[in-house]
């Protein structure tokens, strides 16, 4: 049986969150993309804007995946209920991961599919990234009420547990991508491992 706690302010926060419409999450999800576009047209992306676009899109996607993983621990250990926003967070995460992949294919690889496939097979960080995307794809396709009814609650929840290995692969992709081993990729990997560990703690 899971041990659960409730923060003193959790009931009032939950009451306020129930009045927040889902579309607020969608608008919030678009804002980082708008900021990237603004930086692109104002010259704020540095000397290699293509790499910067790829990096920013991928990092936002990973941050949203972490945010989605945080929903259950917040409810279990803090009493904060964000479940009604989790699906929107997950879809937004997939959208940014897809844009990250698209930016690499179009802007970096110029749609040279043979070279792109060769790099995916040859470079471990690309292999991990594509594996994460492949795991997220069925989750995005089934993130709707029709799929939930069609699959049934139990099977739908089991399918969406694919987000766990996808999150790990995404963090490993980021870790292998950087060359100088800065702290930030380890922070993401550590956060994901900690959030997954909390799900196992009973």
């Amino acid at each position: 049986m899971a041990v659960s706690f409730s923060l003193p302010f959790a009931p009032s926060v939950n009451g306020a969150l129930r009045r927040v419409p889902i579309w607020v999450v969608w608008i919030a999800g678009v804002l980082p993309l708008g900021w990237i576009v603004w930086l692109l047209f104002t010259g704020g992306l540095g000397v290699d804007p293509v790499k910067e676009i790829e990096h920013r899109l991928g990092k936002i996607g990973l941050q949203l995946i972490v945010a989605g993983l945080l929903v259950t621990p917040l409810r279990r250990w803090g009493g904060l209920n964000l479940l009604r926003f989790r699906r929107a967070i997950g879809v937004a995460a997939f959208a940014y991961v897809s844009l990250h992949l698209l930016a690499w294919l179009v802007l970096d690889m110029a749609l040279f599919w043979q070279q792109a496939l060769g790099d995916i097979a040859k470079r471990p960080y690309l292999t991990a990234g594509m594996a994460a995307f492949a795991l997220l794809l069925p989750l995005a396709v089934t993130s709707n009420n029709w799929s939930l009814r069609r699959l049934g609650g139990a099977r739908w929840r089991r399918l969406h547990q694919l987000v766990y290995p996808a999150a790990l692969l995404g963090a490993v992709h980021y870790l292998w991508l950087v060359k100088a081993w800065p702290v930030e990729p380890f922070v993401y990997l550590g956060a994901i491992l900690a959030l997954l560990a909390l799900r196992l703690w009973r």
Side-chain angles (χ1 to χ4, degrees), residues 5 22 38 44 48 56 69 73 81 91 104 144 146 152 173 176 185:
F5 303 94
I22 300 296
W38 170 260
D48 192 347
R56 286 175 180 263
L69 292 177
N81 191 349
V91 173
W104 176 70
N144 52 75
W146 182 86
H173 165 73
W176 277 344

Side-chain angles (χ1 to χ4, degrees), residues 68-110:
L69 292 177
L70 191 59
V71 170
T72 295
L74 280 177
R75 181 170 60 92
R76 180 179 296 170
W77 306 107
L80 296 175
N81 191 349
L82 300 171
L83 283 176
R84 60 192 293 262
F85 303 112
R86 183 165 61 183
R87 193 184 303 184
I89 294 171
V91 173
F94 179 78
Y96 276 98
V97 171
S98 299
L99 288 172
H100 170 66
L101 174 61
L102 192 63
W104 176 70
L105 285 173
V106 175
L107 301 178
D108 201 347
M109 303 303 295

